Amino acid sequence: MPKVGMEPLRKRALIDAAIRTIGERGSLDVTVAQIAQEAGVSAALAHHYFGGKEQLILATMRHLLNELGLDLLGALHGARTPAARIAAVIAVNFSAAQFAPQTIAAWLTFYVHAQQSEETRRLLRVYARRMHSNLAYALQQLTDRETALQIAEGTGAMIDGLYIRHALRNGAPEAANAIALVEDYVTTKLAAAKPSERSRDAL
Amino acid sequence: MPKVGMEPLRKRALIDAAIRTIGERGSLDVTVAQIAQEAGVSAALAHHYFGGKEQLILATMRHLLNELGLDLLGALHGARTPAARIAAVIAVNFSAAQFAPQTIAAWLTFYVHAQQSEETRRLLRVYARRMHSNLAYALQQLTDRETALQIAEGTGAMIDGLYIRHALRNGAPEAANAIALVEDYVTTKLAAAKPSERSRDAL
DNA sequence: TATTCTTGATTGACTGATCAATCAATAAAA
DNA sequence: TTTTATTGATTGATCAGTCAATCAAGAATA
């Protein structure tokens, strides 16, 4: 066989290029040619390896989701207490990798793409469910089930909202601010639900 | 003169058609021809009245923003107490008109469009600032300034997040749920910041 | 009243550009 | 030679935007 084993390298290069291109442009209206050029190959090669634009986009999305999942796994690894797990879930969403302008722009375009693509919708739901599960599980060890689910819902919504707002802001609010706001929500809710015990230092 | 006075009617019809078309398609990738057909006129007429696609899109966005503004004004009109004003701001965002799938889809696409269009970004900022001002002002009459600003920020983010989540969900959560979640956040925060007095019935 | 003007309203047809996708051909490694 | 990698050229479709040409409703004129 010839210059063998190019496929995984090219695929990865094209996915990385797709993230960069979509992020810079802030839109899914990127041409295969643009992505290919960014990756340093021809547009035809992108079609050769991915079969079509849609599949390249989906592969890119899966890659981002996977990265987020790995980040989450890593963050949860060292967290032993429920409070630490909650903090970890929040922090991951605003980590440098996830909060980079390009990454945010890419995510935003995927949210829109989900309106048209069932597969995209499914992938986003997987991510949302995973995040919710992690939060809800940890919270249930700190308060009653009903309250835990409510806080998990509110936390998820607030994270998504801060994300979208960050995408728009010119002089964006720091990740630290966003983290503090979400953690404050969790802390306050837990304290209110469980007025006794260690409520202030729940996180 | 001929069939005079068509311009405002056609413009309005085209804007309404744009909202419907964008909402149904869930994307800004709608053709002028599609919008025009939905409005019952030719694509050429759309260009005649708006000068170009971009301007039609911007006019559509201004229309949505204006409607939101009017809704807000109406809701605030009857609200005499700060708590009622807060509730009004929250409720408007999840009112039937604003929470309609098509409207949400349109908003979402505008958020993405903002990445490329400075004018779109400016318009969205105007909306966000207005919402924030109203919230912050009312909250400052119920708690200290710093806490008020924090709650306003968190509330805005949570609303945006619930919005985006609603756009994705298949079987969507009810508007009532969303309202309850946000109001609970405000109530809890106010109660925590001001443990004395009427805290439970702040809303 | 009947007959031209005038002018906004409206469109079909066309253009130029863009793009995804295809394919035949080349290069090179085994 | 066979297989994989790679690309330039091409195709077919889609669109925004343009334009010249009609249509119709009132105004001016006779």
Side-chain angles (χ1 to χ4, degrees):
Chain A
M1 298 186 183
K3 197 160 67 172
V4 96
M6 280 293 103
E7 176 156 349
L9 298 180
R10 294 302 190 201
K11 278 193 168 180
R12 177 57 193 268
L14 281 164
I15 287 174
D16 287 348
I19 295 173
R20 282 199 303 276
T21 310
I22 292 172
E24 271 159 30
R25 212 156 228 266
S27 160
L28 274 187
D29 287 342
V30 289
T31 69
V32 174
Q34 284 166 349
I35 295 173
Q37 186 183 21
E38 177 79 23
V41 298
S42 75
L45 199 64
H47 280 97
H48 174 66
Y49 281 130
F50 285 97
K53 185 185 183 179
E54 177 74 11
Q55 285 150 282
L56 169 55
I57 297 295
L58 282 174
T60 302
M61 198 180 155
R62 281 196 205 92
H63 179 81
L64 277 177
L65 278 166
N66 204 44
E67 248 184 5
L68 179 60
L70 290 177
D71 280 5
L72 186 62
L73 216 63
L76 285 175
H77 186 68
R80 290 292 163 201
T81 70
R85 284 174 178 274
I86 295 168
V89 171
I90 295 172
V92 159
N93 280 279
F94 299 106
S95 67
Q98 296 301 328
F99 219 48
Q102 288 177 347
T103 307
I104 291 182
W107 276 103
L108 198 50
T109 65
F110 288 140
Y111 270 94
V112 171
H113 191 60
Q115 303 270 332
Q116 305 162 256
S117 158
E118 172 57 35
E119 174 67 4
T120 301
R121 227 173 303 143
R122 196 185 64 77
L123 287 172
L124 284 178
R125 270 203 299 271
V126 168
Y127 135 79
R129 205 177 308 134
R130 182 168 54 194
M131 204 65 77
H132 184 85
S133 298
N134 277 302
L135 273 175
Y137 178 77
L139 283 164
Q140 279 182 55
Q141 300 184 279
L142 295 175
T143 186
D144 62 287
R145 178 181 160 78
E146 193 183 353
T147 306
L149 292 179
Q150 186 199 34
I151 299 178
E153 182 89 11
T155 303
M158 199 180 275
I159 289 175
D160 282 1
L162 288 169
Y163 223 76
I164 216 183
R165 284 166 166 240
H166 191 265
L168 290 186
R169 211 91 71 182
N170 285 8
E174 292 308 316
N177 276 20
I179 292 176
L181 193 63
V182 179
E183 291 202 343
D184 170 79
Y185 168 64
V186 176
T187 306
T188 307
K189 278 297 295 178
L190 284 175
K194 186 179 52 171
S196 57
E197 293 185 62
R198 54 193 168 107
S199 51
R200 166 62 32 178
D201 51 45
L203 280 173
Chain B
M1 298 190 182
K3 196 160 67 173
V4 96
M6 281 294 105
E7 176 157 349
L9 298 180
R10 294 304 191 201
K11 277 193 168 179
R12 177 56 194 268
L14 282 164
I15 287 174
D16 287 348
I19 294 173
R20 283 198 303 275
T21 310
I22 292 171
E24 270 160 29
R25 213 157 228 263
S27 159
L28 274 187
D29 286 343
V30 289
T31 69
V32 174
Q34 284 166 349
I35 296 173
Q37 187 183 18
E38 177 81 23
V41 298
S42 74
L45 198 65
H47 281 96
H48 174 66
Y49 281 130
F50 285 98
K53 185 184 184 180
E54 177 75 10
Q55 284 150 283
L56 169 54
I57 297 296
L58 282 174
T60 302
M61 196 178 156
R62 281 197 206 91
H63 178 80
L64 277 177
L65 278 166
N66 203 45
E67 249 184 6
L68 178 60
L70 290 177
D71 280 4
L72 185 61
L73 216 61
L76 285 175
H77 187 68
R80 289 295 161 199
T81 69
R85 286 174 178 273
I86 294 167
V89 171
I90 295 171
V92 160
N93 280 280
F94 299 107
S95 67
Q98 296 301 328
F99 220 48
Q102 288 177 347
T103 307
I104 291 182
W107 277 103
L108 196 50
T109 65
F110 289 141
Y111 270 94
V112 170
H113 192 61
Q115 303 271 332
Q116 306 163 253
S117 157
E118 171 57 35
E119 174 67 4
T120 301
R121 228 173 302 143
R122 196 184 65 75
L123 287 172
L124 285 178
R125 269 203 300 270
V126 167
Y127 136 80
R129 206 177 307 135
R130 182 169 53 195
M131 204 65 78
H132 183 85
S133 298
N134 277 302
L135 273 176
Y137 178 77
L139 283 164
Q140 279 183 53
Q141 300 183 279
L142 295 175
T143 186
D144 62 286
R145 177 180 161 79
E146 193 184 354
T147 306
L149 292 179
Q150 187 201 34
I151 299 178
E153 181 89 11
T155 303
M158 199 180 274
I159 289 174
D160 282 2
L162 287 169
Y163 224 77
I164 224 184
R165 284 166 166 240
H166 190 265
L168 289 186
R169 212 91 69 180
N170 284 8
E174 292 307 316
N177 275 19
I179 292 176
L181 193 63
V182 178
E183 291 202 344
D184 170 78
Y185 168 63
V186 176
T187 306
T188 306
K189 278 297 293 178
L190 284 175
K194 186 179 52 169
S196 56
E197 294 183 64
R198 52 195 171 106
S199 51
R200 165 62 33 178
D201 52 45
L203 277 174

